Amino acid sequence: MTVRPIRPDDVPAVVGLVRELADYERALSEVHLTEEQLWTSLFGDSPALFGHVAQDDDGTVVGVALWFLNFSTWRGTHGIYLEDLYVQPAHRGRGLGRELLRTLAAVCVERGYSRLEWSVLDWNAPSIDFYKAAGAVPMDEWTVFRLTDDALTTFAGPRA
């Protein structure tokens, strides 16, 4: 098993994995990510997205972790927000997902970041069990809010 940072030539495979994850999460129609967008976010002038991939024995990219930095004002340090963690079903059970998550935990420890956090769908019991087995705890008292599409545009509209 190999986990390594994403390289530019991984971008097509990673976009494919993001689409597979969205399909699993019953939201494929919501994915608009292009290879160009992902490449720019990861390798452009001001990268704000980072990632690691998991490879199988023949070097094929079969898993991905995409993440970015956040900041805790309470702790006074950065943290990592894990946007996507996905391993293709045929490659699960071999420790690739665990190694991707452990890699991000190691980045946090090495850089002095105080948090590694992410969201998971309430119905995704296999992932919830996986995260709990890693020692993660749900933040039940917090609710995620999001503005997108028309609501975002309307709210950002003209100001007096």
Side-chain angles (χ1 to χ4, degrees), residues 77-93:
T77 65
H78 281 289
I80 286 178
Y81 186 85
L82 175 59
E83 179 66 20
D84 289 329
L85 177 68
Y86 180 74
V87 174
Q88 292 177 318
H91 300 278
R92 293 182 187 157

Side-chain angles (χ1 to χ4, degrees), residues 123-158:
W123 58 260
N124 193 346
S127 293
I128 291 168
D129 292 343
F130 169 73
Y131 296 138
K132 285 181 176 179
V137 294
M139 303 296 293
D140 293 333
E141 68 274 15
W142 292 87
T143 300
V144 176
F145 282 82
R146 178 178 293 161
L147 280 171
T148 62
D149 303 322
D150 291 341
L152 178 64
T153 302
T154 300
F155 189 68

Side-chain angles (χ1 to χ4, degrees), residues 23-44:
D23 190 41
Y24 172 76
E25 292 181 345
R26 305 171 190 151
L28 182 58
S29 65
E30 296 177 35
V31 176
H32 304 288
L33 178 68
T34 66
E35 290 179 18
E36 181 181 350
Q37 288 172 318
L38 184 60
W39 190 95
T40 299
S41 296
L42 289 164
F43 305 107

Side-chain angles (χ1 to χ4, degrees), residues 21-76:
L21 171 61
D23 190 41
Y24 172 76
E25 292 181 345
R26 305 171 190 151
L28 182 58
S29 65
E30 296 177 35
V31 176
H32 304 288
L33 178 68
T34 66
E35 290 179 18
E36 181 181 350
Q37 288 172 318
L38 184 60
W39 190 95
T40 299
S41 296
L42 289 164
F43 305 107
D45 291 337
S46 300
L49 181 68
F50 309 94
H52 290 78
V53 294
Q55 295 178 298
D56 68 5
D57 296 334
D58 70 3
T60 302
V61 173
V62 298
V64 65
L66 292 170
W67 55 276
F68 55 87
L69 295 180
N70 57 18
F71 188 83
S72 169
T73 55
W74 291 10
R75 294 193 173 222

